Amino acid sequence: MHDLLIHSCRTLTFDEDGRPAVLAEQNIIVDGQRISAIQPVSEGPVDAREVVDARGMLATPGFINTHAHAPMVIFRGLAEDVSIERWFNEFMWPLESNLQEEDVYWGMLLALVEMIESGVTTVADHYFFMDQAANAVTEAGTRAALGWAVFGDRGYDALAETADFVARWQGQADGRITTWMAPHAPYTCDDDFLRATVEHAKRLGVGIHIHAAEEMGQTRASLEKRGLTPIQVLEETGVLEVTTLIAHGCGLLPEDIELLARYRDHVGIAHAPKTYLKLGMGLTPILPLRAVGIPVGLATDGAVSNNTLDILESLRLMAMLQKHEARNPEVLTIPEALDMAFHGSAQALGMADRLGKLAPGYLADIILIDQSGTHCQPLHSATASLVYNNRAGDVQTVIVDGNVLMHDRRLLTLDKAEIMANVNRNMDRLSQRVPGRRIQVYNP
Ligand SMILES: [Zn+2]
């Protein structure tokens, strides 16, 4: 008797070279937290305690959102049509001075609802009051790689507190929560602060999730001020010696890519295309990064620069923008886009041995997507549909660690109405911007 049977789905698989294929009429068998077998329905009936009828559905690995500030959903829509400098200095950092612990809890829950509803089963999140985010993840049943964001001017005690968070939550929630050190960026953390962060990361055996070379202006400013690019600063301070997840990299120079290639077995880049479009930041050079084997994962970033946490929209934008940037529709093909969305994202988090693939031994983070809608029919290519046609609302069922979190669009672990009521309760306090009050200044 098995724990869970996902009965008769079409299954997205990847061969040794990472090329996707869709197999018809498969049974996915789950025992405990992991997939134990995937076999054709024709092999005969399977006994399981719980059966999910998946006829007509496409099963894929759960999506991995490699960089977000999920609780920022509470500020959604408050910083529109502004430059990156104004976005930070006039909006985000004043708004974030209003944050209280419980705001992060309810904001994280709202974000987790949105992510479950769009098929995201793992998020790498970078924010404040992260115990509350971890509590929310524990309740939701999802997987998360959490880091407590910190600025250098908060001092070494504050850094140590973020390290305490790492120690407190690493491996919690049945292993669904992993933790990272999360210094904000090289332009808000000086070299000694970054070195101290590396020491904590090494002591705790965890990685570092950091913003760097977010756009070319930051790289130019860093070169002018100190003759080093932000990526060279990461190398100089030892950050690249541990597992490192770099958010954005739209300001990477060719020499940065060469440098990062030396660390490619444990360094990844998170790519959040909608933020780059809205803030006019340029694009992560995905093609040259992938050409030298540096993993690039898919991300939404926070909802104040993206507006939603819709990972399918990010997937679509990622592929189309690389084609447009290269003026070549033959680059970033559907197989490559899917490789990035699943395997690349898992690699960027250092979790490719257990996530990003439907295969025996991998964690049972599985979503079922409906491709019967008019916007997908007729279905000549399930993979083309997944990248270019499917919408968040087509995600029907979400399973994490072998547990069903959403079934036929019905949430099983979270109460959406209660969460939205609690988020909206504090909107007046949260949306105020008090002149002169902000948590940080953007001056790269
Ligand atoms: Zn970010």
Side-chain angles (χ1 to χ4, degrees):
M1 179 71 82
H2 297 285
D3 287 338
L4 173 68
L5 167 65
I6 301 165
H7 176 62
S8 196
C9 50
R10 288 173 296 119
T11 303
L12 179 69
T13 60
F14 294 89
D15 67 16
E16 291 291 295
D17 301 322
R19 290 197 63 84
V22 174
L23 308 178
E25 290 188 36
Q26 300 290 305
N27 280 331
I28 303 177
I29 302 166
V30 174
D31 286 293
Q33 298 168 306
R34 291 179 188 265
I35 296 170
S36 47
I38 301 176
Q39 62 193 43
V41 172
S42 60
E43 278 192 21
V46 175
D47 276 339
R49 268 182 281 280
E50 187 176 4
V51 179
V52 171
D53 180 358
R55 279 174 296 179
M57 295 288 165
L58 174 69
T60 78
F63 284 105
I64 299 167
N65 186 347
T66 59
H67 179 75
H69 314 280
M72 277 174 87
V73 292
I74 55 182
F75 301 118
R76 202 192 306 257
L78 284 177
E80 298 294 337
D81 303 325
V82 291
S83 69
I84 189 168
E85 187 271 335
R86 293 187 62 203
W87 189 88
F88 276 121
N89 285 336
E90 294 179 28
F91 293 89
M92 266 344 292
W93 283 340
L95 286 167
E96 284 177 336
S97 68
N98 302 323
L99 270 182
Q100 297 176 4
E101 270 199 273
E102 68 155 346
D103 303 324
V104 170
Y105 174 72
W106 292 112
M108 189 72 185
L109 283 175
L110 179 60
L112 288 168
V113 169
E114 187 183 355
M115 284 192 276
I116 292 170
E117 289 183 334
S118 53
V120 171
T121 52
T122 298
V123 61
D125 214 62
H126 199 280
Y127 212 53
F128 310 106
F129 300 118
M130 291 305 277
D131 287 289
Q132 296 303 329
N135 286 330
V137 168
T138 304
E139 285 174 41
T142 54
R143 196 176 303 285
L146 303 175
W148 191 314
V150 62
F151 302 110
D153 64 5
R154 294 300 187 278
Y156 291 93
D157 287 349
L159 179 66
E161 283 171 28
T162 70
D164 291 345
F165 164 79
V166 163
R168 199 156 54 238
W169 283 95
Q170 176 72 326
Q172 293 298 306
D174 299 323
R176 287 183 286 108
I177 292 177
T178 50
T179 52
W180 299 63
M181 294 300 291
H184 176 259
Y187 62 86
T188 50
C189 300
D190 68 22
D191 289 9
D192 285 340
F193 195 82
L194 290 176
R195 285 192 189 95
T197 306
V198 173
E199 288 314 306
H200 282 296
K202 285 182 175 170
R203 173 175 61 82
L204 295 161
V206 300
I208 293 177
H209 182 177
I210 187 168
H211 302 92
E214 294 177 293
E215 50 95 43
M216 204 52 87
Q218 287 177 11
T219 302
R220 274 196 300 268
S222 179
L223 279 168
E224 274 167 31
K225 279 183 186 166
R226 48 183 309 178
L228 294 174
T229 68
I231 299 302
Q232 288 168 333
V233 171
L234 296 187
E235 183 180 47
E236 179 96 356
T237 52
V239 170
L240 299 180
E241 289 167 23
V242 301
T243 301
T244 307
L245 177 58
I246 298 171
H248 311 317
C250 301
L252 292 177
L253 298 174
E255 51 265 43
D256 292 322
I257 297 173
E258 234 169 79
L259 184 163
L260 287 170
R262 298 203 294 275
Y263 300 93
R264 66 188 165 206
D265 62 334
H266 63 273
V267 169
I269 310 277
H271 173 76
K274 195 168 161 192
T275 286
Y276 313 150
L277 284 176
K278 285 198 75 195
L279 290 174
M281 290 167 62
L283 290 178
T284 319
I286 291 178
L287 303 175
L289 283 165
R290 280 174 57 87
V292 294
I294 299 164
V296 184
L298 185 60
T300 62
D301 208 352
V304 189
S305 50
N306 180 316
N307 296 66
T308 72
L309 302 174
D310 180 346
I311 200 79
L312 279 164
E313 182 182 47
S314 293
L315 172 60
R316 194 155 33 243
L317 287 173
M318 174 188 78
M320 292 192 295
L321 283 167
Q322 294 298 314
K323 293 175 187 296
H324 184 261
E325 184 82 348
R327 302 294 188 273
N328 180 0
E330 298 192 348
V331 302
L332 220 302
T333 59
I334 289 164
E336 287 175 290
L338 292 175
D339 177 66
M340 288 182 63
F342 297 116
H343 178 67
S345 295
Q347 261 187 316
L349 264 58
M351 299 172 89
D353 59 339
R354 52 201 188 275
L355 285 184
K357 196 171 168 179
L358 297 182
Y362 278 70
L363 288 164
D365 292 8
I366 304 163
I367 63 173
L368 299 177
I369 300 177
D370 182 6
Q371 299 191 309
S372 68
T374 49
H375 56 292
C376 299
Q377 290 291 319
L379 190 66
H380 292 299
S381 167
T383 52
S385 178
L386 183 56
V387 175
Y388 289 115
N389 307 33
N390 274 118
R391 302 165 180 162
D394 296 330
V395 176
Q396 293 294 310
T397 294
V398 172
I399 296 160
V400 175
D401 235 19
N403 297 311
V404 183
L405 307 186
M406 181 172 80
H407 185 241
D408 289 342
R409 298 294 293 170
R410 198 163 47 85
L411 292 166
L412 301 180
T413 54
L414 299 176
D415 181 342
K416 188 154 61 170
E418 183 204 10
I419 292 164
M420 288 204 278
N422 276 290
V423 166
N424 283 308
R425 191 163 47 86
N426 294 314
M427 276 308 98
D428 289 346
R429 171 174 59 77
L430 283 167
S431 59
Q432 64 180 335
R433 284 181 290 142
V434 179
R437 205 176 84 190
R438 57 187 173 193
I439 62 167
Q440 186 57 246
V441 178
Y442 183 75
N443 179 27

